[in-house]
Amino acid sequence: MVRESLSVDDVWKALEDVKDPEIPKLSLVDMGIVTSVSIGEDESVRVVITPTFAGCPALKMMADDIKDRLGKLTKGNVEVEVNYDVQWSTDMLTEKGRQMLKESHFALPGQVNGFVSAESLIKVECPFCGSRDTRLQSPFGPTQCRAIHYCDNCKQAFEQFKPV
Ligand SMILES: [Zn+2]
């Protein structure tokens, strides 16, 4: 069997198939979670990811999914490294990721430069109507990483990513 050698582009492309466990519409690439990809000797692949939300149980799931997907691409070793030095922020979402989140009616965490005010947790902009007449309904959404809010203006419940 003749194989072409693996390129970094191939790896990025394959990673687009790996969905975020929190928001399966988005890939880890769309989310900006994958920060770097490198290929070493014997087609070993090293992927660096940044954790989105502190304490998210999804992290291990993501690493396993990446290994599964890339295992189909290379016979080499696949290594997933979590870089805690880089703080994920919504700024790291790709344009496509941002658009898809909006279409899924997910509210983004207020952007904060590392600082989360109580205000940004409570008066979240409604992704349906844009009103800030909203309230935090439950600090614990379906997962640890989401919160449920309720919009008093259009009477819809919506989910928000909890800012880190
Ligand atoms: Zn609304």
Side-chain angles (χ1 to χ4, degrees):
M1 190 174 84
V2 181
R3 291 186 60 197
E4 289 179 32
S5 67
L6 188 65
S7 75
V8 169
D9 280 348
D10 294 335
V11 175
W12 278 105
K13 219 175 189 142
L15 287 172
E16 285 182 24
D17 295 340
V18 184
K19 303 302 178 192
D20 185 294
E22 293 296 318
I23 310 134
K25 268 192 176 174
L26 269 76
S27 74
L28 299 186
V29 176
D30 297 328
M31 287 289 288
I33 287 171
V34 178
T35 55
S36 92
V37 166
S38 55
I39 297 173
E41 276 173 46
D42 302 326
E43 296 196 345
S44 68
V45 180
R46 192 160 165 275
V47 177
V48 181
I49 61 174
T50 187
T52 37
F53 306 100
C56 241
L59 209 55
K60 192 186 174 300
M61 214 189 294
M62 285 183 205
D64 288 345
D65 288 350
I66 289 172
K67 283 178 188 170
D68 277 356
R69 180 62 187 90
L70 298 184
K72 291 176 191 148
L73 212 64
T74 176
K75 287 191 165 60
N77 203 29
V78 178
E79 197 187 326
V80 179
E81 188 191 307
V82 181
N83 183 357
Y84 290 95
D85 296 338
V86 180
Q87 187 75 74
W88 184 85
S89 80
T90 45
D91 291 347
M92 287 161 86
L93 284 162
T94 64
E95 205 44 54
K96 184 178 155 216
R98 212 170 277 275
Q99 201 53 42
M100 286 171 86
L101 266 188
K102 228 174 151 181
E103 284 167 13
S104 318
H105 297 300
F106 254 96
L108 296 173
Q111 205 41 42
V112 279
N113 293 326
F115 178 74
V116 180
S117 67
E119 187 80 344
S120 78
L121 280 170
I122 299 161
K123 293 287 170 195
V124 179
E125 190 180 307
C126 170
F128 292 96
C129 70
S131 166
R132 282 197 180 266
D133 193 9
T134 64
R135 55 199 153 86
L136 183 63
Q137 198 164 45
S138 151
F140 299 105
T143 74
Q144 284 182 44
C145 322
R146 301 185 199 172
I148 308 278
H149 294 257
Y150 185 80
C151 175
D152 283 321
N153 186 52
C154 70
K155 316 287 180 210
Q156 297 246 38
F158 62 92
E159 289 183 71
Q160 185 213 19
F161 273 129
K162 278 192 240 173
V164 185

